Amino acid sequence: MMSFNGGIQKIDLPKIFDERGNLSFIEASKHIPFNIERVYWIYDVPGGEVRGSHAFKETHEFIVALSGSFDLVLHDGVREHKFSLNRSYYGIYIPKLTWRRLENFSTNSLALVIASKGFSVDEYIRNFDQFKIAVR
Ligand code: TYD
């Protein structure tokens, strides 16, 4: 079982290296520190595009680069954290009330997002100043 501190966190996933091809997996109860309500993925991102640039009020997420690479730029209200995701055997846990932006997508990159809540427009904070107030 992973140790979990509640904040933004890189979580290593199992990797079964094999000459026939590698295998990794996610078990909800072992690797994801919330109940999974939704899974979505971002793909076919044209070069130079940016996704995200918002925070969620209550939704926690876990993001894995299943293919290719991209940068995950997070802000916890105090400081910025930047991760370059380029392997599929780890992910980043993003607690609620974290400003998040995905950028610098490589060709054919595939971002898997596991979320603790279903989709709701009311969950989004799309203004950085409002985010700073909410996170205080
Ligand atoms: P959005 O979260 O704004 O994309 P990003 O933050 O990556 O730029 O979502 C884009 C659109 O897709 C928006 O109209 C809402 C819709 N959407 C859903 O219907 N369900 C979902 O689970 C997600 C993530 C988005």
Side-chain angles (χ1 to χ4, degrees):
M1 191 69 184
M2 58 166 191
S3 66
F4 179 63
N5 64 25
I8 294 165
Q9 189 175 337
K10 179 175 178 231
I11 296 176
D12 289 318
L13 299 169
K15 36 183 188 283
I16 315 292
F17 288 134
D18 193 311
E19 288 172 0
R20 301 169 301 153
N22 302 329
L23 183 153
S24 285
F25 56 90
I26 297 169
E27 284 193 37
S29 60
K30 280 195 188 138
H31 308 117
I32 308 294
F34 52 77
N35 287 321
I36 298 168
E37 283 284 329
R38 175 172 50 131
V39 176
Y40 63 95
W41 47 99
I42 299 168
Y43 55 100
D44 291 349
V45 179
E49 285 295 342
V50 175
R51 302 293 311 227
S53 293
H54 53 67
F56 293 111
K57 293 173 188 167
E58 295 294 337
T59 305
H60 312 291
E61 291 189 325
F62 182 71
I63 300 188
V64 183
L66 280 189
S67 176
S69 63
F70 53 86
D71 294 337
L72 187 56
V73 186
L74 306 177
H75 202 293
D76 60 14
V78 178
R79 68 181 193 90
E80 193 174 86
H81 309 252
K82 189 165 178 176
F83 298 90
S84 283
L85 275 65
N86 53 21
R87 304 297 297 178
S88 61
Y89 49 70
Y90 64 87
I92 307 296
Y93 167 71
I94 306 172
K96 68 176 185 177
L97 288 177
T98 303
W99 192 264
R100 80 207 219 341
R101 188 169 84 236
L102 288 78
E103 62 187 23
N104 198 24
F105 286 86
S106 71
T107 306
N108 288 329
S109 56
L110 172 57
L112 178 75
V113 186
I114 296 174
S116 67
K117 288 174 86 71
F119 173 76
S120 163
V121 282
D122 300 336
E123 264 295 293
Y124 285 72
I125 304 173
R126 292 193 176 274
N127 176 290
F128 192 74
D129 292 331
Q130 280 173 16
F131 160 71
K132 293 272 260 188
I133 291 166
V135 84
R136 271 209 297 254

